[in-house]
Each structure stands twice: as structure tokens, then as C-alpha cells.
Amino acid sequence: MPSGSSRQGRTRGHLSKRPQRDAQAALAIQPGRRRRASLRRPRPRRRHRLRALLIALTVLAAISGGLVGGTFVGYASYRAQLPDAATVAAMEPGQDSHVYDTKGNLIAVLSSKGVRHVHATLDNIAQYARLATIDIEDRHFYGEGSWDLPRLVKAGWDNVRHTSTSGASTITEQLAKISFFNSPERSVDYKIKEIVLGNEIDANFTKNQILEMYLNRVPYGNHAVGIETAAQLYFFKAAKDLDLAESAILAGLPQSPTAYNPLLYDAPATVNPLAKDRQKVVLSAMVSNGDISQRQADTAYAEPLTFHSWTESELNTHPTVTVYVTNWLKYYYGSAYINPGGWDIYTTVNPGMQKAAEASLHDGIAAIRDAHNAKDGALVNIDPKTGKVLAIVGAWDYNDPEVGQTAMALNARSPGSAIKLFTYTAALASHMYTMETPILDAPVHLSPGPGQDDYSPLNYDRKWHGTCALKACFGNSLNVPAVKVEAAVGIPYITSVEIAAGIDSYSVAGAGRPGATSYSATLGGFPVTPLELADAAATIADLGVHHDPSPVDHIVLRGSGKTMFTLDPTASARRVVPENVAFIVNEITSNDANRVPDFPAHGPLTLPDRRVSAKTGTAEYFNDNWTLGWTPDIVTAVWVGNPKGSCLKDSDRATMSNAIQRGHVLFTGMTIKYPFSPSDLAQYGLQPRNNACGHLDNSDGITGAAPIWHNDMVVATAGFNKTDWYAVPKDVVQVGTGDNADFFLPGTTAQQPGAGGNCYYWGPPGTPPPPTPANGTPCVYTGAGPPSNQGQPGQGQGQGHGQGQGQGQGGGHGGGATSFPGPPQPAQPGPTNG
């Protein structure tokens, strides 16, 4: 970017200020050829008053192109109407920002809507491109002032005769128009203003500064502003690498970017014929001005060129990554990433894991799309030790016209039984329950409040299973025991654990946050995003320590090379679950025996070469299907479902209502609100409203999301030590060995009667405490956050909505906004960014 005023000491038109020809171009010039007089010696500097006088003469010439007569307005009068020319240096459009993966591969370009722009300093623009621009636009640029009297007179005369084929604007005047006017107006008054402002620009900047600003601001068509952008867009190369043929093509575009658009051509042509004709004009001007030989011009004109389109250069390799990164940037930096922009954003996305995640999701959905009406999915990989998002996929196929544009990894859906992970985590932390606590699986009726019907949940299989140990109730994902535990421990307590672990959708009071009697909460009645669920599970995977999830590792300002942000995982780390509690949860969820008989042993929830934790979830009416699992090194969450609700068309609602009233129903209690699938509607002779709607057909955690999760985890864990698992904490009591071992917190097992407990709960104030644990130590309220030795829960923003009160898996789904629960940390100690 050019600096401020350079008026002092400037030598106008000196040959040394002109871009120097390279050796090849110099040798190509024929000996003895006459050089232009304007380039042989510097012209004397004009004084400001002389400029004003000459401007008056220019005005007269300009008037000849319009109506004869008119009133001459003095230079000072026009100058008072114009902005300060010294500010032109700060008027460059916002620059594109580039997004890279962890291997330095460019994966996305972020830019202002409808504009692409990358700045290039003058010494990083090919000399041929500079010469071509000067020769075709303003051949006396280095030897004249801001205006060219002969050109003005000729333009005015041509205008009078209606034979004008080109304007009279110099490069300096064009810069004035681009910067301050940007209007196609061609009136005499407008022309005078352009000349006056160009004169002021000429008085404030050197010729090289003016040329650099012009080359960075002139439009080249196809949304490209500036020659660096045009070079990257059309030729996939930097402006400094343009050859003569490419330079001549680009130099010709600004006169009419639409007419000369090189991409507008019909087969068998490979370039717009008008652009080719314009290239020839540019090359001829370069020959005429002594900058190249005729032989060079002929060779350049004959050179075949390959052009690329906007869509080819508008990289968006992983669309959900782009959406997530953009949301993150907006949250912390507003629009600064594109205005002024020019950022190099290095993400946390591992290209190998991203590729594997996309393949696993695509292939997995393809296998069940028709059989199970599973038209879409999402997948998230997180490093639990840092919060870095290693891969994120929001659609089964980004080219799918129905679902490809929706980033489902960032949209809230009912988590089904997957959310029980935190019900049981809170239960163990309360000291009320151990992994061996017996729970009776039998009918239960809970009152949500006066005047409301009792909440009477059923199990997934609509059966009762008698008494089961907590680890088996949890492992087999039985609904009724989970609701009983939820009611005993207290929903506000459980919710506070979930929020602290990373489920920010629950942090905003209202429809998105479970109430004290929202008993459907543990069955998925309140939606979360796949990213949130993966982040919350990462808290358990890191033994109770939460790290804010981040898609960005560091950001570099391209112009200065300064690192403006570096992710510091330790800065956001906070303990939200005791280590011993998280360890016991990991033991329960990684023991395949705890899932039998409802889940097959050695099934897709296990890995062939290592221990792994896993939890499934199926929302009410089979709307959503989940599998969540982790090792100490990586967490993977998979969602499968349809992004759109019921397939019933509005025009068919009356028909369906009549059928229900006549008793033609799919199950007892069916209402018009049921999320009808295409196969449901087929029984009524109706067609679905789209191709990605309704509930899943005969699909659960094992047939839907689990195979996808399994295939992705096999690849994602390949680079980690297969023997890594959690060491038993010193304050955990182990009874038994191997997979038959049970683990207890101090004071919660008969082997240590009377041992002291550590039961606590937190916020908001007024929350009723959970029941007193069996060891007799009351739980103590500690305020809005956990006690100091346990760390602080995350403070977050976000929203979601939807609540299920059904008799099955819970349910409901709604939209939620991706949230970012803490400010990014600066690269150096100091105030936070954002």
C-alpha cells in the first residue's frame, strides 16, 4: 500500500522512476530506434498556480466535447467540492483472506460479497504488465502531469463529431474516478471534477505510488479487482509471474471488462474474440512505444492461453469448514477478516482426517439412504486434549441439491439417548450413585407441574427389564432408569454439568434450556449440535477438563507477516468434572459387556485394535440417529437423519386429518404432527413434499450412525498409540480386575464405610440440592460455578429450541446457533482479541 504524501523532493518523470525493462526486452529493441522525448529527461515541476491555469485551458477543451458555452468555474471552487485526495491511499477495497489446513493447503477464499481482491506491491507485478497498462492507458504517464492536453482536445473534437472511441482520462484521473466517483457519468462538470481531483492526487503521490494504486483498484471483470486478483483468477498465478501474452490480455480488460471478458466465447474458440482483438491492440501499443519488438508481439499474440473461471478459483474445498471458520471469525473479529482483510487463516483441520470423515459419511449414507430414508448426516472429529476441531462435515454430499448447502454439523437436533452421558456423569459426581447402584426398570409417572399430564416414559423396546446396575442401565441405554436418575439428581444440576462441558445451547434461559421438571431432557428433548455434543464428550475424554473448541490455530496478517492470533489450549482449559468421575464414566462406556444384551458384543461400537468409549442415541419417532465415541486422543460424533421435517404437504393435511379421524392410523395415538416419511405417505397414496424429509425408517444407533462412526474411527485413530488408555486415579477404589472390575469414588463403596465424600453442585442460585448421598455427607451449594479446586464452568452463548414430551426416546428438534464460549487468546500476553 502506498504511503502518504511524497510531494517533497519528488522528481517528476525521471526515467529511474519508470519500471525498468528486463534484459530480454531491452535486447529486443532495435538499435538506433528513436526514443520518446518524454522519457529522455525529466520535465520541470509545475507550480500549483500554473496547474490551476492549465486546468482552465483543459476545461475549455473539455467543453468542446459538449454544448458550446457554459460557465467556467474556477479551480478553487471545484476543489472545495471534492474530497481530500490525500486519503486515496486508504481507500483500497477489502482484501481476500485465505484459509489453510494444517498442511498449508489452501482450502477456502473469504471475500466481500461480489468482490475478489488481493493486493500486490508494484515490485511484485510483472514488468510486462506495468508497461502494457501504461502503453494502452496513458503512454505519457511518467512524463505528464495528471492530465494530457492533446488527449483532451482530441477527445473533445471526437465527441463533437460523434466519433469518439476512447476517453481522455489519464491513469491518474482514472484512479480519481475509481476512488471517489466510480460513476459512468460523462458530463462536462463531472470531467472537470475528475481532472481537478486527479491533479490533487498527482500533487500528493509519486508516479509509482499512483500506478500501484491504480493496478490494485481497477476492475478486470468476473468480480476481480486489481491485477493480482485477475492473475490468480484467470491464470492461477501471481501477478509477478505473468508473461507478455497474459499481461497484454489483462491490460486490455479495464476499458470494458464485460465486452472483453475472455471467458465469453463459443466452441471451438478458447477465448473471447473481442479480448483477443484487444490483446493485439495492446501489443501494438507496446511496439509503438518501444517497449517490445514486433517479433515479441507476434509471438505473444500466437501464444495459446488457458483461462480459469470464478468458480474454479473460488476455492471452497470443505464447505462446512468454511462456514464454521467464518462463524468463528465473525464472532471474535466482526467483518475485519474481509474489511480490511488480507489474513492468512491456518485452521486446525487435518486434511487426512477431513478426507476420511467425508468419505466415511458419504459412503455410509449412500448405503442406507433408500432402505432407511436416511438422506443426510454430519460428522465431527475433535482433539480432546486441545479442543482443536480436526475434521467437520455437514452434509453427506455437498453436490446434493436437497441437502448439500446445509451445514448440519452446526445445526441443533435432538440428541436422543446420547445426552444420557451427562445424566450419569452428574449422578456419579453427586455421590448418590455408583456404577453398581441397582435401579428398578419399571413404570414411573412424574408430574411436570399443576394441571399438566404426568410424564410416563417408555423404553426403546417398550419392555420392562427389572433391576439393573447403573453401568448396565447406562450401557443398554434404558430410558426409564435414566429418567429416574435424572429426577433424583436434579435436572438443573445435570444441565449445569452439560453447559460447563460445552453444550452452550442450554446456557440461555428459555425454550432452549431444560427446566426443573423437563423430564424429557435426558431422552433428547432439548436439541444440541453435533459440534457441541462432540465438544462435551471431549470433556469426558480429557478426564473432566474442557477446552473451548476451535477451528483456527493461528492467523497471520499477509502484508506484514505478523501473527495476530495463536490458539492457546491451556488458556481455555478448565476442569468441570472431577477426574475420578470422568475416569469411571470412561470405564463404563468402554466396556462392551455393559451394552449386552441390547447391543451386540464386538459390534460397530468397538474397534479391532484398541479400547474405545461409545454411546448411541435415537430421537423420538426415529427423527435423529447418533453415535458418539472417543479414545484419549480423538472424539468422533456422527449424526444421521433428514434436515427437513414431516414429508406431508400442506395441501394434503386435510386429507391426512380425515384419515386419522376415520381411524386409518399407523399406530395408536398418531396425530397430524407425526413426522411422516415417504413410506408412511405411500400407505395413504400421497407424495412427499421433498426428497430429504420425515423420520428414519427402521434405523437405530447400530444400523444408522454406528457403522459410519466405526469406519471413521478406524482411520482417525490409526496414527495414535493403540495401547493408550486412562490410568486409574489415586482417589478411585478398584474392586476386581480386567473388564470385570468396578470403580468407586471414595466413600461410595462398602469397602470404605464412613469415608469422606466430595459432593457439590452449582448454579443458578436457588437450585435445589440433589438428595444426600448414601454415605451421609450432604451436598453443599457452592454458587454459580464449581468450587475453586474444580475449576470454573464455561460461560457461553448460544441457542436452541424444541422439547419432546413423548413416550419413547424423547424428541423434538430445532435450530441452534453455533456458539463460541470464550475469547481466543492472544499470541503474546496482553488483552484478549475479539
Side-chain angles (χ1 to χ4, degrees):
M1 177 67 72
S3 57
S5 174
S6 302
R7 185 169 186 172
Q8 297 294 329
R10 179 167 66 100
T11 302
R12 184 184 308 279
H14 195 280
L15 185 59
S16 64
K17 298 297 183 180
R18 182 179 174 85
Q20 299 300 303
R21 300 179 177 85
D22 58 26
Q24 181 181 4
L27 290 174
I29 298 175
Q30 297 176 3
R33 197 142 80 89
R34 185 173 65 85
R35 306 291 296 184
R36 286 173 285 169
S38 60
L39 295 181
R40 289 187 302 197
R41 58 181 182 274
R43 297 185 58 162
R45 180 176 181 81
R46 299 180 180 84
R47 293 186 179 181
H48 197 71
R49 291 182 180 178
L50 178 59
R51 287 198 186 96
L53 178 60
L54 294 177
I55 289 296
L57 296 176
T58 302
V59 170
L60 294 177
I63 290 176
S64 69
L67 297 175
V68 178
T71 305
F72 174 75
V73 180
Y75 182 91
S77 174
Y78 270 97
R79 176 65 189 87
Q81 303 175 45
L82 299 172
D84 185 358
T87 64
V88 70
M91 299 182 68
E92 186 166 343
Q95 294 193 63
D96 298 353
S97 286
H98 296 161
V99 182
Y100 301 90
D101 62 25
T102 56
K103 299 297 184 182
N105 302 307
L106 180 65
I107 58 176
V109 176
L110 308 179
S111 60
S112 298
K113 186 176 182 180
V115 176
R116 288 282 305 279
H117 175 57
V118 180
H119 180 86
T121 58
L122 195 61
D123 58 358
N124 277 314
I125 298 173
Q127 187 167 357
Y128 279 135
R130 289 178 273 164
L131 293 173
T133 298
I134 293 171
D135 290 341
I136 194 62
E137 294 292 342
D138 188 1
R139 65 192 182 93
H140 297 306
F141 174 70
Y142 276 99
E144 70 200 3
S146 65
W147 49 280
D148 188 333
L149 182 58
R151 291 178 70 185
L152 281 170
V153 174
K154 181 181 183 301
W157 179 243
D158 288 343
N159 204 351
V160 169
R161 295 182 302 151
H162 302 288
T163 60
S164 177
T165 57
S166 63
S169 298
T170 64
I171 284 177
T172 307
E173 290 164 1
Q174 290 183 56
L175 177 62
K177 182 164 68 172
I178 293 170
S179 301
F180 294 103
F181 300 127
N182 198 25
S183 169
E185 185 180 352
R186 297 176 67 92
S187 68
V188 172
D189 183 72
Y190 179 87
K191 187 62 184 178
I192 294 172
K193 290 180 179 179
E194 181 184 307
I195 295 171
V196 171
L197 188 53
N199 183 64
E200 292 298 312
I201 291 174
D202 192 62
N204 279 273
F205 301 98
T206 68
K207 287 295 188 180
N208 280 350
Q209 288 176 318
I210 292 171
L211 182 61
E212 180 177 317
M213 287 188 284
Y214 174 80
L215 287 170
N216 275 287
R217 304 187 190 183
V218 67
Y220 288 86
N222 288 292
H223 309 280
V225 174
I227 196 163
E228 176 70 24
T229 319
Q232 292 184 15
L233 189 154
Y234 291 117
F235 300 118
F236 281 8
K237 61 169 59 176
K240 65 182 178 63
D241 298 323
L242 292 169
D243 65 16
L244 176 57
E246 295 162 341
S247 297
I249 277 281
L250 294 186
L253 296 182
Q255 186 186 71
S256 182
T258 301
Y260 297 140
N261 181 355
L263 302 178
L264 294 180
Y265 59 85
D266 297 320
T270 58
V271 62
N272 182 350
L274 294 178
K276 197 65 178 173
D277 291 344
R278 179 66 174 166
Q279 180 196 37
K280 189 172 185 178
V281 172
V282 173
L283 291 169
S284 295
M286 297 181 75
V287 172
S288 224
N289 294 332
D291 286 324
I292 62 172
S293 68
Q294 186 60 53
R295 181 178 179 180
Q296 286 177 295
D298 293 341
T299 301
Y301 184 74
E303 179 182 326
L305 296 176
T306 299
F307 298 93
H308 300 278
S309 67
W310 164 280
T311 53
E312 289 178 276
S313 64
E314 183 78 339
L315 283 177
N316 189 9
T317 309
H318 311 296
T320 301
V321 173
T322 302
V323 172
Y324 183 27
V325 169
T326 301
N327 288 348
W328 189 95
L329 292 169
K330 288 179 179 178
Y331 185 87
Y332 290 121
Y333 300 107
S335 63
Y337 69 99
I338 53 174
N339 185 22
W343 296 4
D344 286 330
I345 302 155
Y346 294 88
T347 70
T348 58
V349 173
N350 180 299
M353 290 187 182
Q354 181 71 27
K355 182 178 180 180
E358 291 173 349
S360 296
L361 186 65
H362 181 275
D363 295 347
I365 294 296
I368 61 175
R369 287 195 99 220
D370 295 331
H372 297 300
N373 189 41
K375 301 300 173 64
D376 203 8
L379 190 155
V380 179
N381 292 147
I382 284 185
D383 178 353
K385 299 175 182 177
T386 64
K388 293 181 178 181
V389 177
L390 305 175
I392 183 167
V393 190
W396 87 286
D397 186 339
Y398 291 115
N399 295 317
D400 187 308
E402 288 282 345
V403 303
Q405 304 305 309
T406 305
M408 293 305 298
L410 306 176
N411 278 263
R413 304 288 298 197
S414 168
S417 294
I419 204 69
K420 292 174 185 174
L421 172 64
F422 304 101
T423 298
Y424 286 106
T425 296
L428 293 169
S430 75
H431 284 223
M432 292 176 58
Y433 291 88
T434 73
M435 62 191 298
E436 283 289 353
T437 299
I439 304 170
L440 178 62
D441 179 22
V444 64
H445 307 284
L446 300 170
S447 174
Q452 299 184 54
D453 294 338
D454 285 350
Y455 184 68
S456 304
L458 299 173
N459 287 316
Y460 176 87
D461 59 4
R462 303 297 195 269
K463 298 178 181 179
W464 307 111
H465 303 85
T467 299
C468 56
L470 179 145
K471 63 182 181 181
C473 295
F474 184 11
N476 285 273
S477 200
L478 300 178
N479 288 341
V480 175
V483 172
K484 286 185 174 182
V485 170
E486 172 192 46
V489 173
I491 294 173
Y493 174 51
I494 297 169
T495 300
S496 68
V497 173
E498 291 165 337
I499 294 171
I503 300 181
D504 298 308
S505 290
Y506 294 173
S507 65
V508 179
R513 181 171 186 158
T517 59
S518 299
Y519 298 114
S520 69
T522 194
L523 305 184
F526 292 80
V528 301
T529 71
L531 176 61
E532 285 179 312
L533 196 57
D535 176 39
T539 299
I540 305 301
D542 199 32
L543 290 177
V545 176
H546 178 258
H547 300 272
D548 294 334
S550 177
V552 177
D553 183 78
H554 63 284
I555 302 173
V556 177
L557 297 178
R558 192 179 309 128
S560 65
K562 178 183 177 182
T563 299
M564 60 171 287
F565 164 75
T566 299
L567 181 66
D568 182 1
T570 60
S572 68
R574 52 191 179 272
R575 177 166 295 285
V576 298
V577 173
E579 179 183 6
N580 51 14
V581 172
F583 171 81
I584 294 174
V585 173
N586 287 324
E587 288 299 308
I588 294 173
T589 53
S590 64
N591 191 338
D592 201 32
N594 292 330
R595 290 187 280 263
V596 177
D598 276 16
F599 297 89
H602 312 298
L605 299 182
T606 63
L607 295 180
D609 62 345
R610 69 192 69 223
R611 191 177 184 101
V612 61
S613 286
K615 180 71 187 79
T616 63
T618 302
E620 188 174 31
Y621 299 126
F622 300 91
N623 276 332
D624 304 282
N625 183 239
W626 301 76
T627 297
L628 179 68
W630 61 92
T631 70
D633 302 299
I634 189 168
V635 175
T636 297
V638 175
W639 167 83
V640 169
N642 291 309
K644 301 170 186 176
S646 172
C647 292
L648 184 67
K649 296 177 182 177
D650 290 341
S651 58
D652 291 331
R653 292 182 65 84
T655 300
M656 182 61 71
S657 293
N658 291 333
I660 293 174
Q661 291 176 5
R662 294 194 307 268
H664 184 190
V665 296
L666 303 176
F667 58 90
T668 302
M670 189 187 85
T671 69
I672 195 73
K673 295 181 180 180
Y674 181 66
F676 295 96
S677 70
S679 62
D680 295 333
L681 296 179
Q683 299 184 50
Y684 297 87
L686 302 176
Q687 294 296 316
R689 65 188 180 98
N690 56 60
N691 295 318
C693 59
H695 62 76
L696 302 173
D697 289 331
N698 303 315
S699 179
D700 56 22
I702 293 299
T703 60
I708 298 171
W709 174 87
H710 176 90
N711 292 337
D712 181 68
M713 283 291 281
V714 168
V715 178
T717 58
F720 299 112
N721 190 330
K722 64 181 65 177
T723 62
D724 281 351
W725 195 249
Y726 307 99
V728 181
K730 293 180 180 179
D731 57 350
V732 167
V733 178
Q734 179 175 345
V735 178
T737 59
D739 281 347
N740 293 321
D742 289 323
F743 300 91
F744 301 91
L745 302 180
T748 64
T749 174
Q751 279 74 13
Q752 291 190 338
N758 185 29
C759 180
Y760 62 88
Y761 70 103
W762 59 91
T767 300
T772 300
N775 64 6
T777 303
C779 292
V780 180
Y781 173 68
T782 60
S788 58
N789 66 329
Q790 299 295 339
Q792 293 295 325
Q795 301 300 317
Q797 299 180 11
Q799 62 183 4
H801 64 273
Q803 180 175 354
Q805 296 289 348
Q807 304 299 305
Q809 284 290 110
H813 61 275
T818 302
S819 58
F820 304 98
Q825 301 304 311
Q828 302 294 332
T832 58
N833 294 291

